[in-house]
Amino acid sequence: DAGITQSPRHKVTETGTPVTLRCHQTENHRYMYWYRQDPGHGLRLIHYSYGVKDTDKGEVSDGYSVSRSKTEDFLLTLESATSSQTSVYFCAISLSPTGAGANVLTFGAGSRLTVL
Amino acid sequence: DQQVKQNSPSLSVQEGRISILNCDYTNSMFDYFLWYKKYPAEGPTFLISISSIKDKNEDGRFTVFLNKSAKHLSLHIVPSQPGDSAVYFCAAVSPSGSARQLTFGSGTQLTVLP
C-alpha cells in the first residue's frame, strides 16, 4: 500500500449528526483529495488540498468542509449529515500534479458512510 | 453534464479472449487519460495512462487507444484473466488549475468467465 489510511472504514450515523472522516498519509505528498463514489456517477471530487491550510472546492462540495493542519492529515467533515451523503468516500494523494505528465492519484481503501 | 462517459455499465468476457472497455469524453482540452481498476472494498488502483498527443500506449496485457477526433478511448485487455474481473474507471486530466483535477467516468464492471 502507498501509505494512505482512512478512518473509520465503516460508519452508520443518523441524519443531522456531524461526521468527520480522516485521511492519513505517510508519503509526504503535497496534494490530497476527497472523492465520493456513487452508482452511476463514478468518482466525484468533493474537496482537495494543495498544502497545509490550502484547500479548494471540487465538483460536489456542498454540505462538506475540509481541513488540513498537517501535511499528513486531511479531514472531511459533514456538519449535519443527510441521507444523500450516504456513499463511499475515498481519499487520494498526488505527488505533484502540476507540470507535464498524467496526474496519477493513489487512493485509500475507502470509508463507507451510511446516513439513516 | 458528464464530461467523461462510460456507456456500458457491465461487460462479460470469456477467459483468454479480448476485453474492450470504452470511454467517451466531451472536453477537447483534456491532456491525459488514465484507467483505474477497482476491486470490491478496495480503493481504485492506477492501471495505465495515455497522453493526448499519442494514439496508443501498451503495458503488458493492457493497451489503451486514443481517438482524438472521435473523443474516444478504449482499454484492451488481452488475454483476459479471471483476476481482471473488477470495475474499470476511465479518467481525464484537466490541464488548467493548480491540481490538474481528474474527471472520472461512471465505471464498467468487467466479469471474466473461466
Side-chain angles (χ1 to χ4, degrees), chain A residues 18-43:
Chain A
V19 175
T20 295
L21 305 180
R22 179 179 183 244
C23 179
H24 178 79
Q25 61 145 330
T26 57
E27 305 296 316
N28 201 34
H29 283 14
R30 179 181 171 195
Y31 285 77
M32 299 185 75
Y33 307 79
W34 276 108
Y35 283 85
R36 59 178 288 175
Q37 184 200 357
D38 303 291
H41 291 278
L43 293 127

mmCIF file with all atom_site columns, all heavy atoms in Angstrom, chain A residues 18-43:
data_model
loop_
_atom_site.group_PDB
_atom_site.id
_atom_site.type_symbol
_atom_site.label_atom_id
_atom_site.label_alt_id
_atom_site.label_comp_id
_atom_site.label_asym_id
_atom_site.label_entity_id
_atom_site.label_seq_id
_atom_site.pdbx_PDB_ins_code
_atom_site.Cartn_x
_atom_site.Cartn_y
_atom_site.Cartn_z
_atom_site.occupancy
_atom_site.B_iso_or_equiv
_atom_site.pdbx_formal_charge
_atom_site.auth_seq_id
_atom_site.auth_comp_id
_atom_site.auth_asym_id
_atom_site.auth_atom_id
_atom_site.pdbx_PDB_model_num
ATOM 1   N N   . PRO A 1 18 ? -23.082 15.365 13.093  1.00 0.00 ? 18 PRO A N   1
ATOM 2   C CA  . PRO A 1 18 ? -21.820 15.668 12.416  1.00 0.00 ? 18 PRO A CA  1
ATOM 3   C C   . PRO A 1 18 ? -20.969 14.415 12.260  1.00 0.00 ? 18 PRO A C   1
ATOM 4   O O   . PRO A 1 18 ? -21.008 13.512 13.093  1.00 0.00 ? 18 PRO A O   1
ATOM 5   C CB  . PRO A 1 18 ? -21.157 16.674 13.365  1.00 0.00 ? 18 PRO A CB  1
ATOM 6   C CG  . PRO A 1 18 ? -21.709 16.342 14.708  1.00 0.00 ? 18 PRO A CG  1
ATOM 7   C CD  . PRO A 1 18 ? -23.098 15.815 14.487  1.00 0.00 ? 18 PRO A CD  1
ATOM 8   N N   . VAL A 1 19 ? -20.223 14.374 11.168  1.00 0.00 ? 19 VAL A N   1
ATOM 9   C CA  . VAL A 1 19 ? -19.358 13.231 10.895  1.00 0.00 ? 19 VAL A CA  1
ATOM 10  C C   . VAL A 1 19 ? -18.024 13.756 10.378  1.00 0.00 ? 19 VAL A C   1
ATOM 11  O O   . VAL A 1 19 ? -17.991 14.681 9.560   1.00 0.00 ? 19 VAL A O   1
ATOM 12  C CB  . VAL A 1 19 ? -19.970 12.302 9.815   1.00 0.00 ? 19 VAL A CB  1
ATOM 13  C CG1 . VAL A 1 19 ? -19.004 11.181 9.462   1.00 0.00 ? 19 VAL A CG1 1
ATOM 14  C CG2 . VAL A 1 19 ? -21.308 11.744 10.287  1.00 0.00 ? 19 VAL A CG2 1
ATOM 15  N N   . THR A 1 20 ? -16.939 13.169 10.868  1.00 0.00 ? 20 THR A N   1
ATOM 16  C CA  . THR A 1 20 ? -15.621 13.509 10.348  1.00 0.00 ? 20 THR A CA  1
ATOM 17  C C   . THR A 1 20 ? -14.909 12.249 9.893   1.00 0.00 ? 20 THR A C   1
ATOM 18  O O   . THR A 1 20 ? -14.824 11.278 10.639  1.00 0.00 ? 20 THR A O   1
ATOM 19  C CB  . THR A 1 20 ? -14.766 14.234 11.407  1.00 0.00 ? 20 THR A CB  1
ATOM 20  O OG1 . THR A 1 20 ? -15.367 15.500 11.710  1.00 0.00 ? 20 THR A OG1 1
ATOM 21  C CG2 . THR A 1 20 ? -13.348 14.489 10.881  1.00 0.00 ? 20 THR A CG2 1
ATOM 22  N N   . LEU A 1 21 ? -14.427 12.294 8.675   1.00 0.00 ? 21 LEU A N   1
ATOM 23  C CA  . LEU A 1 21 ? -13.623 11.208 8.123   1.00 0.00 ? 21 LEU A CA  1
ATOM 24  C C   . LEU A 1 21 ? -12.180 11.690 8.048   1.00 0.00 ? 21 LEU A C   1
ATOM 25  O O   . LEU A 1 21 ? -11.905 12.840 7.703   1.00 0.00 ? 21 LEU A O   1
ATOM 26  C CB  . LEU A 1 21 ? -14.119 10.825 6.724   1.00 0.00 ? 21 LEU A CB  1
ATOM 27  C CG  . LEU A 1 21 ? -15.596 10.451 6.599   1.00 0.00 ? 21 LEU A CG  1
ATOM 28  C CD1 . LEU A 1 21 ? -15.924 10.098 5.146   1.00 0.00 ? 21 LEU A CD1 1
ATOM 29  C CD2 . LEU A 1 21 ? -15.955 9.300  7.527   1.00 0.00 ? 21 LEU A CD2 1
ATOM 30  N N   . ARG A 1 22 ? -11.274 10.769 8.360   1.00 0.00 ? 22 ARG A N   1
ATOM 31  C CA  . ARG A 1 22 ? -9.871  11.148 8.414   1.00 0.00 ? 22 ARG A CA  1
ATOM 32  C C   . ARG A 1 22 ? -9.073  10.399 7.355   1.00 0.00 ? 22 ARG A C   1
ATOM 33  O O   . ARG A 1 22 ? -9.291  9.205  7.121   1.00 0.00 ? 22 ARG A O   1
ATOM 34  C CB  . ARG A 1 22 ? -9.292  10.835 9.793   1.00 0.00 ? 22 ARG A CB  1
ATOM 35  C CG  . ARG A 1 22 ? -7.803  11.178 9.942   1.00 0.00 ? 22 ARG A CG  1
ATOM 36  C CD  . ARG A 1 22 ? -7.328  10.866 11.331  1.00 0.00 ? 22 ARG A CD  1
ATOM 37  N NE  . ARG A 1 22 ? -5.927  11.232 11.544  1.00 0.00 ? 22 ARG A NE  1
ATOM 38  C CZ  . ARG A 1 22 ? -4.970  10.355 11.816  1.00 0.00 ? 22 ARG A CZ  1
ATOM 39  N NH1 . ARG A 1 22 ? -5.242  9.073  11.915  1.00 0.00 ? 22 ARG A NH1 1
ATOM 40  N NH2 . ARG A 1 22 ? -3.727  10.767 12.011  1.00 0.00 ? 22 ARG A NH2 1
ATOM 41  N N   . CYS A 1 23 ? -8.154  11.122 6.744   1.00 0.00 ? 23 CYS A N   1
ATOM 42  C CA  . CYS A 1 23 ? -7.207  10.522 5.806   1.00 0.00 ? 23 CYS A CA  1
ATOM 43  C C   . CYS A 1 23 ? -5.810  10.841 6.294   1.00 0.00 ? 23 CYS A C   1
ATOM 44  O O   . CYS A 1 23 ? -5.483  12.020 6.535   1.00 0.00 ? 23 CYS A O   1
ATOM 45  C CB  . CYS A 1 23 ? -7.419  11.080 4.404   1.00 0.00 ? 23 CYS A CB  1
ATOM 46  S SG  . CYS A 1 23 ? -6.262  10.428 3.175   1.00 0.00 ? 23 CYS A SG  1
ATOM 47  N N   . HIS A 1 24 ? -5.003  9.812  6.437   1.00 0.00 ? 24 HIS A N   1
ATOM 48  C CA  . HIS A 1 24 ? -3.632  9.970  6.923   1.00 0.00 ? 24 HIS A CA  1
ATOM 49  C C   . HIS A 1 24 ? -2.678  9.358  5.913   1.00 0.00 ? 24 HIS A C   1
ATOM 50  O O   . HIS A 1 24 ? -2.866  8.220  5.486   1.00 0.00 ? 24 HIS A O   1
ATOM 51  C CB  . HIS A 1 24 ? -3.472  9.278  8.290   1.00 0.00 ? 24 HIS A CB  1
ATOM 52  C CG  . HIS A 1 24 ? -2.099  9.345  8.842   1.00 0.00 ? 24 HIS A CG  1
ATOM 53  N ND1 . HIS A 1 24 ? -1.605  10.466 9.473   1.00 0.00 ? 24 HIS A ND1 1
ATOM 54  C CD2 . HIS A 1 24 ? -1.084  8.438  8.845   1.00 0.00 ? 24 HIS A CD2 1
ATOM 55  C CE1 . HIS A 1 24 ? -0.352  10.257 9.857   1.00 0.00 ? 24 HIS A CE1 1
ATOM 56  N NE2 . HIS A 1 24 ? -0.014  9.032  9.490   1.00 0.00 ? 24 HIS A NE2 1
ATOM 57  N N   . GLN A 1 25 ? -1.657  10.109 5.524   1.00 0.00 ? 25 GLN A N   1
ATOM 58  C CA  . GLN A 1 25 ? -0.676  9.593  4.573   1.00 0.00 ? 25 GLN A CA  1
ATOM 59  C C   . GLN A 1 25 ? 0.726   9.651  5.168   1.00 0.00 ? 25 GLN A C   1
ATOM 60  O O   . GLN A 1 25 ? 1.043   10.517 5.984   1.00 0.00 ? 25 GLN A O   1
ATOM 61  C CB  . GLN A 1 25 ? -0.706  10.421 3.272   1.00 0.00 ? 25 GLN A CB  1
ATOM 62  C CG  . GLN A 1 25 ? -0.360  11.889 3.490   1.00 0.00 ? 25 GLN A CG  1
ATOM 63  C CD  . GLN A 1 25 ? 0.402   12.521 2.349   1.00 0.00 ? 25 GLN A CD  1
ATOM 64  O OE1 . GLN A 1 25 ? 1.151   11.845 1.637   1.00 0.00 ? 25 GLN A OE1 1
ATOM 65  N NE2 . GLN A 1 25 ? 0.241   13.835 2.179   1.00 0.00 ? 25 GLN A NE2 1
ATOM 66  N N   . THR A 1 26 ? 1.543   8.716  4.744   1.00 0.00 ? 26 THR A N   1
ATOM 67  C CA  . THR A 1 26 ? 2.929   8.673  5.209   1.00 0.00 ? 26 THR A CA  1
ATOM 68  C C   . THR A 1 26 ? 3.902   8.965  4.069   1.00 0.00 ? 26 THR A C   1
ATOM 69  O O   . THR A 1 26 ? 5.103   8.740  4.200   1.00 0.00 ? 26 THR A O   1
ATOM 70  C CB  . THR A 1 26 ? 3.246   7.304  5.828   1.00 0.00 ? 26 THR A CB  1
ATOM 71  O OG1 . THR A 1 26 ? 2.987   6.283  4.849   1.00 0.00 ? 26 THR A OG1 1
ATOM 72  C CG2 . THR A 1 26 ? 2.402   7.046  7.063   1.00 0.00 ? 26 THR A CG2 1
ATOM 73  N N   . GLU A 1 27 ? 3.355   9.443  2.934   1.00 0.00 ? 27 GLU A N   1
ATOM 74  C CA  . GLU A 1 27 ? 4.174   9.641  1.731   1.00 0.00 ? 27 GLU A CA  1
ATOM 75  C C   . GLU A 1 27 ? 4.716   11.060 1.594   1.00 0.00 ? 27 GLU A C   1
ATOM 76  O O   . GLU A 1 27 ? 5.472   11.354 0.680   1.00 0.00 ? 27 GLU A O   1
ATOM 77  C CB  . GLU A 1 27 ? 3.341   9.300  0.487   1.00 0.00 ? 27 GLU A CB  1
ATOM 78  C CG  . GLU A 1 27 ? 2.732   7.917  0.511   1.00 0.00 ? 27 GLU A CG  1
ATOM 79  C CD  . GLU A 1 27 ? 3.794   6.835  0.509   1.00 0.00 ? 27 GLU A CD  1
ATOM 80  O OE1 . GLU A 1 27 ? 4.765   6.943  -0.252  1.00 0.00 ? 27 GLU A OE1 1
ATOM 81  O OE2 . GLU A 1 27 ? 3.660   5.887  1.312   1.00 0.00 ? 27 GLU A OE2 1
ATOM 82  N N   . ASN A 1 28 ? 4.242   11.958 2.458   1.00 0.00 ? 28 ASN A N   1
ATOM 83  C CA  . ASN A 1 28 ? 4.661   13.364 2.394   1.00 0.00 ? 28 ASN A CA  1
ATOM 84  C C   . ASN A 1 28 ? 4.277   14.012 1.065   1.00 0.00 ? 28 ASN A C   1
ATOM 85  O O   . ASN A 1 28 ? 4.977   14.911 0.569   1.00 0.00 ? 28 ASN A O   1
ATOM 86  C CB  . ASN A 1 28 ? 6.173   13.506 2.619   1.00 0.00 ? 28 ASN A CB  1
ATOM 87  C CG  . ASN A 1 28 ? 6.547   14.910 3.061   1.00 0.00 ? 28 ASN A CG  1
ATOM 88  O OD1 . ASN A 1 28 ? 5.801   15.562 3.770   1.00 0.00 ? 28 ASN A OD1 1
ATOM 89  N ND2 . ASN A 1 28 ? 7.701   15.381 2.619   1.00 0.00 ? 28 ASN A ND2 1
ATOM 90  N N   . HIS A 1 29 ? 3.161   13.542 0.464   1.00 0.00 ? 29 HIS A N   1
ATOM 91  C CA  . HIS A 1 29 ? 2.686   14.152 -0.772  1.00 0.00 ? 29 HIS A CA  1
ATOM 92  C C   . HIS A 1 29 ? 1.971   15.459 -0.477  1.00 0.00 ? 29 HIS A C   1
ATOM 93  O O   . HIS A 1 29 ? 1.246   15.575 0.507   1.00 0.00 ? 29 HIS A O   1
ATOM 94  C CB  . HIS A 1 29 ? 1.727   13.204 -1.490  1.00 0.00 ? 29 HIS A CB  1
ATOM 95  C CG  . HIS A 1 29 ? 2.425   12.098 -2.207  1.00 0.00 ? 29 HIS A CG  1
ATOM 96  N ND1 . HIS A 1 29 ? 3.740   11.775 -2.003  1.00 0.00 ? 29 HIS A ND1 1
ATOM 97  C CD2 . HIS A 1 29 ? 1.979   11.231 -3.141  1.00 0.00 ? 29 HIS A CD2 1
ATOM 98  C CE1 . HIS A 1 29 ? 4.082   10.766 -2.778  1.00 0.00 ? 29 HIS A CE1 1
ATOM 99  N NE2 . HIS A 1 29 ? 3.031   10.413 -3.473  1.00 0.00 ? 29 HIS A NE2 1
ATOM 100 N N   . ARG A 1 30 ? 2.167   16.416 -1.364  1.00 0.00 ? 30 ARG A N   1
ATOM 101 C CA  . ARG A 1 30 ? 1.612   17.753 -1.136  1.00 0.00 ? 30 ARG A CA  1
ATOM 102 C C   . ARG A 1 30 ? 0.105   17.796 -1.376  1.00 0.00 ? 30 ARG A C   1
ATOM 103 O O   . ARG A 1 30 ? -0.633  18.461 -0.678  1.00 0.00 ? 30 ARG A O   1
ATOM 104 C CB  . ARG A 1 30 ? 2.321   18.736 -2.060  1.00 0.00 ? 30 ARG A CB  1
ATOM 105 C CG  . ARG A 1 30 ? 1.825   20.161 -1.940  1.00 0.00 ? 30 ARG A CG  1
ATOM 106 C CD  . ARG A 1 30 ? 2.559   21.071 -2.899  1.00 0.00 ? 30 ARG A CD  1
ATOM 107 N NE  . ARG A 1 30 ? 1.951   22.392 -2.928  1.00 0.00 ? 30 ARG A NE  1
ATOM 108 C CZ  . ARG A 1 30 ? 2.197   23.294 -3.868  1.00 0.00 ? 30 ARG A CZ  1
ATOM 109 N NH1 . ARG A 1 30 ? 3.033   23.008 -4.848  1.00 0.00 ? 30 ARG A NH1 1
ATOM 110 N NH2 . ARG A 1 30 ? 1.608   24.472 -3.829  1.00 0.00 ? 30 ARG A NH2 1
ATOM 111 N N   . TYR A 1 31 ? -0.367  17.064 -2.407  1.00 0.00 ? 31 TYR A N   1
ATOM 112 C CA  . TYR A 1 31 ? -1.760  17.163 -2.799  1.00 0.00 ? 31 TYR A CA  1
ATOM 113 C C   . TYR A 1 31 ? -2.572  16.006 -2.213  1.00 0.00 ? 31 TYR A C   1
ATOM 114 O O   . TYR A 1 31 ? -2.170  14.843 -2.288  1.00 0.00 ? 31 TYR A O   1
ATOM 115 C CB  . TYR A 1 31 ? -1.891  17.150 -4.327  1.00 0.00 ? 31 TYR A CB  1
ATOM 116 C CG  . TYR A 1 31 ? -1.482  18.450 -4.970  1.00 0.00 ? 31 TYR A CG  1
ATOM 117 C CD1 . TYR A 1 31 ? -0.143  18.788 -5.125  1.00 0.00 ? 31 TYR A CD1 1
ATOM 118 C CD2 . TYR A 1 31 ? -2.452  19.346 -5.414  1.00 0.00 ? 31 TYR A CD2 1
ATOM 119 C CE1 . TYR A 1 31 ? 0.231   19.987 -5.704  1.00 0.00 ? 31 TYR A CE1 1
ATOM 120 C CE2 . TYR A 1 31 ? -2.083  20.555 -5.997  1.00 0.00 ? 31 TYR A CE2 1
ATOM 121 C CZ  . TYR A 1 31 ? -0.745  20.860 -6.139  1.00 0.00 ? 31 TYR A CZ  1
ATOM 122 O OH  . TYR A 1 31 ? -0.386  22.052 -6.710  1.00 0.00 ? 31 TYR A OH  1
ATOM 123 N N   . MET A 1 32 ? -3.721  16.351 -1.659  1.00 0.00 ? 32 MET A N   1
ATOM 124 C CA  . MET A 1 32 ? -4.652  15.346 -1.132  1.00 0.00 ? 32 MET A CA  1
ATOM 125 C C   . MET A 1 32 ? -6.059  15.683 -1.605  1.00 0.00 ? 32 MET A C   1
ATOM 126 O O   . MET A 1 32 ? -6.385  16.859 -1.784  1.00 0.00 ? 32 MET A O   1
ATOM 127 C CB  . MET A 1 32 ? -4.593  15.297 0.404   1.00 0.00 ? 32 MET A CB  1
ATOM 128 C CG  . MET A 1 32 ? -3.218  14.911 0.944   1.00 0.00 ? 32 MET A CG  1
ATOM 129 S SD  . MET A 1 32 ? -3.170  14.717 2.733   1.00 0.00 ? 32 MET A SD  1
ATOM 130 C CE  . MET A 1 32 ? -4.003  13.130 2.944   1.00 0.00 ? 32 MET A CE  1
ATOM 131 N N   . TYR A 1 33 ? -6.864  14.643 -1.798  1.00 0.00 ? 33 TYR A N   1
ATOM 132 C CA  . TYR A 1 33 ? -8.188  14.798 -2.392  1.00 0.00 ? 33 TYR A CA  1
ATOM 133 C C   . TYR A 1 33 ? -9.198  13.953 -1.632  1.00 0.00 ? 33 TYR A C   1
ATOM 134 O O   . TYR A 1 33 ? -8.871  12.893 -1.116  1.00 0.00 ? 33 TYR A O   1
ATOM 135 C CB  . TYR A 1 33 ? -8.187  14.310 -3.850  1.00 0.00 ? 33 TYR A CB  1
ATOM 136 C CG  . TYR A 1 33 ? -7.130  14.912 -4.747  1.00 0.00 ? 33 TYR A CG  1
ATOM 137 C CD1 . TYR A 1 33 ? -5.810  14.453 -4.696  1.00 0.00 ? 33 TYR A CD1 1
ATOM 138 C CD2 . TYR A 1 33 ? -7.446  15.908 -5.667  1.00 0.00 ? 33 TYR A CD2 1
ATOM 139 C CE1 . TYR A 1 33 ? -4.835  14.991 -5.528  1.00 0.00 ? 33 TYR A CE1 1
ATOM 140 C CE2 . TYR A 1 33 ? -6.478  16.443 -6.506  1.00 0.00 ? 33 TYR A CE2 1
ATOM 141 C CZ  . TYR A 1 33 ? -5.178  15.985 -6.429  1.00 0.00 ? 33 TYR A CZ  1
ATOM 142 O OH  . TYR A 1 33 ? -4.220  16.516 -7.256  1.00 0.00 ? 33 TYR A OH  1
ATOM 143 N N   . TRP A 1 34 ? -10.454 14.416 -1.632  1.00 0.00 ? 34 TRP A N   1
ATOM 144 C CA  . TRP A 1 34 ? -11.557 13.605 -1.165  1.00 0.00 ? 34 TRP A CA  1
ATOM 145 C C   . TRP A 1 34 ? -12.542 13.419 -2.330  1.00 0.00 ? 34 TRP A C   1
ATOM 146 O O   . TRP A 1 34 ? -12.974 14.403 -2.939  1.00 0.00 ? 34 TRP A O   1
ATOM 147 C CB  . TRP A 1 34 ? -12.292 14.255 0.002   1.00 0.00 ? 34 TRP A CB  1
ATOM 148 C CG  . TRP A 1 34 ? -11.672 13.989 1.334   1.00 0.00 ? 34 TRP A CG  1
ATOM 149 C CD1 . TRP A 1 34 ? -10.981 14.856 2.116   1.00 0.00 ? 34 TRP A CD1 1
ATOM 150 C CD2 . TRP A 1 34 ? -11.712 12.759 2.060   1.00 0.00 ? 34 TRP A CD2 1
ATOM 151 N NE1 . TRP A 1 34 ? -10.574 14.254 3.268   1.00 0.00 ? 34 TRP A NE1 1
ATOM 152 C CE2 . TRP A 1 34 ? -11.012 12.965 3.272   1.00 0.00 ? 34 TRP A CE2 1
ATOM 153 C CE3 . TRP A 1 34 ? -12.278 11.499 1.813   1.00 0.00 ? 34 TRP A CE3 1
ATOM 154 C CZ2 . TRP A 1 34 ? -10.853 11.957 4.224   1.00 0.00 ? 34 TRP A CZ2 1
ATOM 155 C CZ3 . TRP A 1 34 ? -12.116 10.500 2.757   1.00 0.00 ? 34 TRP A CZ3 1
ATOM 156 C CH2 . TRP A 1 34 ? -11.412 10.730 3.955   1.00 0.00 ? 34 TRP A CH2 1
ATOM 157 N N   . TYR A 1 35 ? -12.864 12.163 -2.620  1.00 0.00 ? 35 TYR A N   1
ATOM 158 C CA  . TYR A 1 35 ? -13.849 11.810 -3.633  1.00 0.00 ? 35 TYR A CA  1
ATOM 159 C C   . TYR A 1 35 ? -14.978 11.028 -2.968  1.00 0.00 ? 35 TYR A C   1
ATOM 160 O O   . TYR A 1 35 ? -14.789 10.373 -1.961  1.00 0.00 ? 35 TYR A O   1
ATOM 161 C CB  . TYR A 1 35 ? -13.235 10.910 -4.712  1.00 0.00 ? 35 TYR A CB  1
ATOM 162 C CG  . TYR A 1 35 ? -12.364 11.605 -5.723  1.00 0.00 ? 35 TYR A CG  1
ATOM 163 C CD1 . TYR A 1 35 ? -11.014 11.845 -5.463  1.00 0.00 ? 35 TYR A CD1 1
ATOM 164 C CD2 . TYR A 1 35 ? -12.881 11.998 -6.955  1.00 0.00 ? 35 TYR A CD2 1
ATOM 165 C CE1 . TYR A 1 35 ? -10.210 12.472 -6.406  1.00 0.00 ? 35 TYR A CE1 1
ATOM 166 C CE2 . TYR A 1 35 ? -12.081 12.624 -7.904  1.00 0.00 ? 35 TYR A CE2 1
ATOM 167 C CZ  . TYR A 1 35 ? -10.751 12.848 -7.620  1.00 0.00 ? 35 TYR A CZ  1
ATOM 168 O OH  . TYR A 1 35 ? -9.960  13.469 -8.554  1.00 0.00 ? 35 TYR A OH  1
ATOM 169 N N   . ARG A 1 36 ? -16.143 11.055 -3.604  1.00 0.00 ? 36 ARG A N   1
ATOM 170 C CA  . ARG A 1 36 ? -17.206 10.137 -3.235  1.00 0.00 ? 36 ARG A CA  1
ATOM 171 C C   . ARG A 1 36 ? -17.555 9.277  -4.440  1.00 0.00 ? 36 ARG A C   1
ATOM 172 O O   . ARG A 1 36 ? -17.487 9.747  -5.582  1.00 0.00 ? 36 ARG A O   1
ATOM 173 C CB  . ARG A 1 36 ? -18.437 10.861 -2.697  1.00 0.00 ? 36 ARG A CB  1
ATOM 174 C CG  . ARG A 1 36 ? -19.095 11.846 -3.614  1.00 0.00 ? 36 ARG A CG  1
ATOM 175 C CD  . ARG A 1 36 ? -20.340 12.470 -2.963  1.00 0.00 ? 36 ARG A CD  1
ATOM 176 N NE  . ARG A 1 36 ? -21.456 11.520 -2.869  1.00 0.00 ? 36 ARG A NE  1
ATOM 177 C CZ  . ARG A 1 36 ? -22.605 11.769 -2.270  1.00 0.00 ? 36 ARG A CZ  1
ATOM 178 N NH1 . ARG A 1 36 ? -22.817 12.944 -1.702  1.00 0.00 ? 36 ARG A NH1 1
ATOM 179 N NH2 . ARG A 1 36 ? -23.560 10.860 -2.232  1.00 0.00 ? 36 ARG A NH2 1
ATOM 180 N N   . GLN A 1 37 ? -17.906 8.031  -4.166  1.00 0.00 ? 37 GLN A N   1
ATOM 181 C CA  . GLN A 1 37 ? -18.277 7.120  -5.242  1.00 0.00 ? 37 GLN A CA  1
ATOM 182 C C   . GLN A 1 37 ? -19.715 6.692  -5.056  1.00 0.00 ? 37 GLN A C   1
ATOM 183 O O   . GLN A 1 37 ? -20.093 6.171  -3.994  1.00 0.00 ? 37 GLN A O   1
ATOM 184 C CB  . GLN A 1 37 ? -17.392 5.870  -5.265  1.00 0.00 ? 37 GLN A CB  1
ATOM 185 C CG  . GLN A 1 37 ? -17.721 4.971  -6.444  1.00 0.00 ? 37 GLN A CG  1
ATOM 186 C CD  . GLN A 1 37 ? -17.242 3.545  -6.273  1.00 0.00 ? 37 GLN A CD  1
ATOM 187 O OE1 . GLN A 1 37 ? -16.597 3.193  -5.292  1.00 0.00 ? 37 GLN A OE1 1
ATOM 188 N NE2 . GLN A 1 37 ? -17.521 2.716  -7.268  1.00 0.00 ? 37 GLN A NE2 1
ATOM 189 N N   . ASP A 1 38 ? -20.508 6.898  -6.092  1.00 0.00 ? 38 ASP A N   1
ATOM 190 C CA  . ASP A 1 38 ? -21.921 6.520  -6.069  1.00 0.00 ? 38 ASP A CA  1
ATOM 191 C C   . ASP A 1 38 ? -22.258 5.795  -7.351  1.00 0.00 ? 38 ASP A C   1
ATOM 192 O O   . ASP A 1 38 ? -21.714 6.112  -8.415  1.00 0.00 ? 38 ASP A O   1
ATOM 193 C CB  . ASP A 1 38 ? -22.805 7.770  -5.952  1.00 0.00 ? 38 ASP A CB  1
ATOM 194 C CG  . ASP A 1 38 ? -22.480 8.602  -4.730  1.00 0.00 ? 38 ASP A CG  1
ATOM 195 O OD1 . ASP A 1 38 ? -22.767 8.131  -3.625  1.00 0.00 ? 38 ASP A OD1 1
ATOM 196 O OD2 . ASP A 1 38 ? -21.913 9.702  -4.880  1.00 0.00 ? 38 ASP A OD2 1
ATOM 197 N N   . PRO A 1 39 ? -23.176 4.838  -7.288  1.00 0.00 ? 39 PRO A N   1
ATOM 198 C CA  . PRO A 1 39 ? -23.575 4.100  -8.507  1.00 0.00 ? 39 PRO A CA  1
ATOM 199 C C   . PRO A 1 39 ? -24.051 5.049  -9.595  1.00 0.00 ? 39 PRO A C   1
ATOM 200 O O   . PRO A 1 39 ? -24.828 5.964  -9.336  1.00 0.00 ? 39 PRO A O   1
ATOM 201 C CB  . PRO A 1 39 ? -24.717 3.209  -8.000  1.00 0.00 ? 39 PRO A CB  1
ATOM 202 C CG  . PRO A 1 39 ? -24.463 3.057  -6.547  1.00 0.00 ? 39 PRO A CG  1
ATOM 203 C CD  . PRO A 1 39 ? -23.865 4.356  -6.091  1.00 0.00 ? 39 PRO A CD  1
ATOM 204 N N   . GLY A 1 40 ? -23.541 4.840  -10.799 1.00 0.00 ? 40 GLY A N   1
ATOM 205 C CA  . GLY A 1 40 ? -23.950 5.660  -11.928 1.00 0.00 ? 40 GLY A CA  1
ATOM 206 C C   . GLY A 1 40 ? -23.216 6.976  -12.048 1.00 0.00 ? 40 GLY A C   1
ATOM 207 O O   . GLY A 1 40 ? -23.377 7.697  -13.038 1.00 0.00 ? 40 GLY A O   1
ATOM 208 N N   . HIS A 1 41 ? -22.408 7.307  -11.038 1.00 0.00 ? 41 HIS A N   1
ATOM 209 C CA  . HIS A 1 41 ? -21.692 8.590  -11.059 1.00 0.00 ? 41 HIS A CA  1
ATOM 210 C C   . HIS A 1 41 ? -20.187 8.441  -11.035 1.00 0.00 ? 41 HIS A C   1
ATOM 211 O O   . HIS A 1 41 ? -19.465 9.404  -11.191 1.00 0.00 ? 41 HIS A O   1
ATOM 212 C CB  . HIS A 1 41 ? -22.110 9.454  -9.870  1.00 0.00 ? 41 HIS A CB  1
ATOM 213 C CG  . HIS A 1 41 ? -23.511 9.955  -9.959  1.00 0.00 ? 41 HIS A CG  1
ATOM 214 N ND1 . HIS A 1 41 ? -23.866 11.066 -10.695 1.00 0.00 ? 41 HIS A ND1 1
ATOM 215 C CD2 . HIS A 1 41 ? -24.646 9.491  -9.405  1.00 0.00 ? 41 HIS A CD2 1
ATOM 216 C CE1 . HIS A 1 41 ? -25.164 11.259 -10.588 1.00 0.00 ? 41 HIS A CE1 1
ATOM 217 N NE2 . HIS A 1 41 ? -25.664 10.317 -9.814  1.00 0.00 ? 41 HIS A NE2 1
ATOM 218 N N   . GLY A 1 42 ? -19.684 7.268  -10.802 1.00 0.00 ? 42 GLY A N   1
ATOM 219 C CA  . GLY A 1 42 ? -18.236 7.115  -10.701 1.00 0.00 ? 42 GLY A CA  1
ATOM 220 C C   . GLY A 1 42 ? -17.710 7.826  -9.473  1.00 0.00 ? 42 GLY A C   1
ATOM 221 O O   . GLY A 1 42 ? -18.348 7.866  -8.416  1.00 0.00 ? 42 GLY A O   1
ATOM 222 N N   . LEU A 1 43 ? -16.541 8.425  -9.624  1.00 0.00 ? 43 LEU A N   1
ATOM 223 C CA  . LEU A 1 43 ? -15.913 9.152  -8.529  1.00 0.00 ? 43 LEU A CA  1
ATOM 224 C C   . LEU A 1 43 ? -16.031 10.641 -8.794  1.00 0.00 ? 43 LEU A C   1
ATOM 225 O O   . LEU A 1 43 ? -15.670 11.117 -9.874  1.00 0.00 ? 43 LEU A O   1
ATOM 226 C CB  . LEU A 1 43 ? -14.435 8.766  -8.410  1.00 0.00 ? 43 LEU A CB  1
ATOM 227 C CG  . LEU A 1 43 ? -14.199 7.329  -7.977  1.00 0.00 ? 43 LEU A CG  1
ATOM 228 C CD1 . LEU A 1 43 ? -13.271 6.627  -8.934  1.00 0.00 ? 43 LEU A CD1 1
ATOM 229 C CD2 . LEU A 1 43 ? -13.596 7.300  -6.583  1.00 0.00 ? 43 LEU A CD2 1
#
